[in-house]
Amino acid sequence: MTPDLDRLELELRSVPGIVAVCLDGDTDASELLIQTVVLPSMAPPDLRDRIHRIVDANIRDNAQVEIVIDELDGSTE
């Protein structure tokens, strides 16, 4: 992993509610998939905006961002 991708992963993991980050692909070929796993009970209301700001600040080319909601976050009704 490059230092830019390391920084991207660390910044994403620092956002409340994000419990996992997966980076797949090649930044040079503009084929990067960024997948975040989120616990909704811990996520801030502006989570999507935060993720996109972090990605835009760290990746020059287009990247596909996928947000996966962890339905098994321990919440019970």
Side-chain angles (χ1 to χ4, degrees):
M1 212 182 299
T2 67
D4 290 338
L5 293 181
D6 287 340
R7 182 174 48 249
L8 172 63
E9 182 178 0
L10 286 173
E11 286 187 39
L12 287 171
R13 285 180 184 268
S14 72
V15 176
I18 294 180
V19 294
V21 175
C22 177
L23 305 174
D24 187 30
D26 184 6
T27 56
D28 296 334
S30 302
E31 296 177 5
L32 181 64
L33 171 63
I34 303 163
Q35 190 175 58
T36 58
V37 179
V38 176
L39 293 177
S41 62
M42 298 175 63
D46 65 341
L47 176 72
R48 290 181 190 277
D49 290 336
R50 287 187 191 195
I51 290 171
H52 286 287
R53 279 195 306 267
I54 291 169
V55 170
D56 290 345
N58 287 282
I59 302 296
R60 289 186 203 100
D61 298 322
N62 292 332
Q64 182 180 352
V65 177
E66 183 177 298
I67 300 171
V68 178
I69 306 299
D70 184 352
E71 296 294 333
L72 303 173
D73 72 352
S75 300
T76 58
E77 294 187 31

